[in-house]
Amino acid sequence: MNKELRIVISGGGTGGHIFPAVSIANAIKELQPEAKILFVGAEGRMEMQRVPQAGYEIKGLPICGFNRSNLLKNITLPYKMWKSDRMVKRILKDFRPMAAVGVGGYASFPTLKAAASKGIPCLIQEQNSFAGKANKILGKKARKICVAYEGMERFFPKDKIIMTGNPVRQALLNVTVSREDAIRTLGLDPGKKTILFVGGSLGARTINESILQHLDLLRQHEEVQVMWQTGKYYHASIMQAVEGKTPENLKITDFISDMGVAYRAADLVVSRSGASSISEFCLIGKPVILVPSPNVAEDHQTMNTLALSTKDAAIYVKDSEAPGTLLQMAIDTVNDEDKLASLSRNILKLALPDSATIIAKEVIKLAENEH
């Protein structure tokens, strides 16, 4: 392939979309260092910062989602969709991509729709076990659909599906520190069982309440220690609520910059069920309790969770039941060596390594076959 390989990658909105997108871009550049890659995202969303930080150019569209909590805010939605359609057609005309990749998120739909209409071969990377409406529509026009779960022919033409897994942050797989050193780095005790509670960069209210309501339970279990990532949104109110009564075996932080070290330190992780997080747990073989968020499209986090829990590769706790049961379950699980070993063994079986490289090769193949 000569040096004019040009690929457009679109999507974002959350880290769960952005991390795979950047991983795919990096893998394309490893295979074809002269490749030109352009991202298309949504104005005001996190990809507009994260993608340039990763070293790639990005164009922003005014596209946004339907606001169910404030219907008045949807008045401008048709105009934003119309304007995004016009802008993306101009972007594609100027950049002249040879293939287009969609990873999900608001910008992905108008970009791939416009690309397909121009005859540009499209590839979708569907991260979840339950495909969203936009990807189901795009799947009819896409040439290839890369998935991470079995049974996706429910949503897409079977002959287009490739089981690749989800690309993850490479830094998480390259951690070389020992568990003991990782624990000391975080200011914890290497002699104690460690549970990491994490709710994403903004935090998860239910997971936070599960600890906040049961601080006495932690005091009763001094053999266990908890690393609690509250998320930036909830941190100030939680620190105010626990002032003067924080158990010694509880460490609270708003954000963890090095998740690789945090995962290495943890004997057990408690997390939401985003597709990227689950792929990370599979690849590192981490025992995990999953609390799927009920506030996501088509309840896809529950579907992601069931794909693991039905294979005894994770423990499933419903969001509505978590405040009353989650902390006790986490303590019981981390003290059960056989259960930890079984969870680790079973989740490792579901790992799909080298996802980004496999997807990148498919993208390059699409571009080569078309030109």
Side-chain angles (χ1 to χ4, degrees):
M1 188 74 195
N2 60 24
K3 65 180 182 181
E4 77 256 26
L5 177 67
R6 307 172 79 82
I7 306 295
V8 68
I9 301 177
S10 184
T14 66
H17 292 312
I18 297 165
F19 296 139
V22 170
S23 294
I24 293 166
N26 290 343
I28 291 171
K29 292 288 274 187
E30 280 184 25
L31 294 167
Q32 298 280 350
E34 300 301 320
K36 301 287 190 296
I37 297 174
L38 177 67
F39 280 76
V40 179
E43 290 174 357
R45 305 292 289 185
M46 65 190 294
E47 60 264 27
M48 300 308 293
Q49 287 183 312
R50 296 291 178 85
V51 169
Q53 286 170 0
Y56 295 100
E57 183 185 357
I58 186 167
K59 303 282 188 183
L61 304 179
I63 190 75
C64 62
F66 186 79
N67 192 316
R68 289 177 174 82
S69 59
N70 188 342
L71 296 179
L72 284 175
K73 288 190 175 179
N74 296 309
I75 290 173
T76 60
L77 191 57
Y79 171 72
K80 288 179 177 178
M81 292 174 71
W82 173 81
K83 189 177 180 185
S84 295
D85 285 340
R86 296 219 19 190
M87 287 176 67
V88 82
K89 285 173 183 172
R90 168 59 65 182
I91 290 167
L92 295 177
K93 184 179 178 183
D94 291 345
F95 185 66
R96 307 185 316 281
M98 300 156 73
V101 180
V103 297
Y106 299 139
S108 190
F109 185 75
T111 304
L112 263 71
K113 186 179 73 168
S117 72
K118 290 178 176 290
I120 299 165
C122 296
L123 178 146
I124 294 171
Q125 202 264 315
E126 172 56 67
Q127 288 126 23
N128 293 295
S129 61
F130 194 94
K133 290 188 180 76
N135 271 356
K136 280 190 269 189
I137 295 168
L138 292 170
K140 294 169 184 173
K141 299 282 188 182
R143 305 278 182 91
K144 297 290 180 183
I145 300 158
C146 297
V147 302
Y149 294 93
E150 297 170 354
M152 297 303 286
E153 58 273 7
R154 291 175 295 160
F155 310 109
F156 303 117
K158 190 174 182 179
D159 60 333
K160 296 181 179 180
I161 294 173
I162 308 170
M163 178 72 96
T164 61
N166 289 324
V168 303
R169 293 171 282 184
Q170 198 60 37
L172 294 178
L173 308 180
N174 296 337
V175 178
T176 56
V177 298
S178 66
R179 174 186 175 275
E180 289 72 22
D181 287 343
I183 286 176
R184 288 194 181 94
T185 298
L186 297 170
L188 298 171
D189 182 350
K192 292 185 176 184
K193 288 287 190 180
T194 305
I195 310 170
L196 171 65
F197 282 78
V198 59
S201 57
L202 293 179
R205 181 195 297 274
T206 302
I207 290 176
N208 288 340
E209 286 297 323
S210 302
I211 302 175
L212 197 56
Q213 293 178 20
H214 300 285
L215 295 177
D216 284 343
L217 191 57
L218 274 180
R219 292 189 187 92
Q220 294 165 23
H221 288 274
E222 293 179 356
E223 80 284 2
V224 169
Q225 60 192 347
V226 166
M227 180 83 176
W228 179 13
Q229 188 234 22
T230 63
K232 293 184 177 180
Y233 183 79
Y234 298 100
H235 188 66
S237 61
I238 285 171
M239 294 309 293
Q240 190 175 356
V242 302
E243 189 175 359
K245 51 184 180 182
T246 307
E248 288 185 7
N249 54 343
L250 175 63
K251 185 174 178 66
I252 306 172
T253 183
D254 63 336
F255 181 73
I256 298 172
S257 58
D258 193 335
M259 286 305 300
V261 168
Y263 285 159
R264 178 58 60 89
D267 298 289
L268 175 71
V269 177
V270 179
S271 170
R272 287 300 199 193
S273 307
S276 286
S277 296
I278 286 179
S279 294
E280 292 168 359
F281 301 142
C282 290
L283 285 164
I284 61 177
K286 188 58 60 175
V288 62
I289 297 176
L290 296 172
V291 187
S293 170
N295 307 313
V296 293
E298 281 109 3
D299 198 24
H300 67 251
Q301 286 205 3
T302 296
M303 306 299 175
N304 293 348
T305 303
L306 289 170
L308 271 67
S309 63
T310 54
K311 296 180 174 73
D312 295 321
I315 295 171
Y316 170 26
V317 175
K318 289 183 179 177
D319 186 85
S320 59
E321 297 173 2
T325 64
L326 183 59
L327 184 57
Q328 183 66 64
M329 178 172 287
I331 291 169
D332 292 344
T333 302
V334 84
N335 282 322
D336 185 340
E337 290 286 353
D338 290 341
K339 185 64 176 176
L340 289 179
S342 171
L343 287 169
S344 180
R345 193 165 55 246
N346 290 337
I347 201 169
L348 268 172
K349 291 176 187 174
L350 303 178
L352 293 166
D354 303 319
S355 299
T357 302
I358 295 167
I359 295 168
K361 286 178 178 176
E362 290 295 331
V363 175
I364 293 168
K365 201 187 301 179
L366 282 179
E368 287 178 333
N369 289 344
E370 203 67 17
H371 292 80

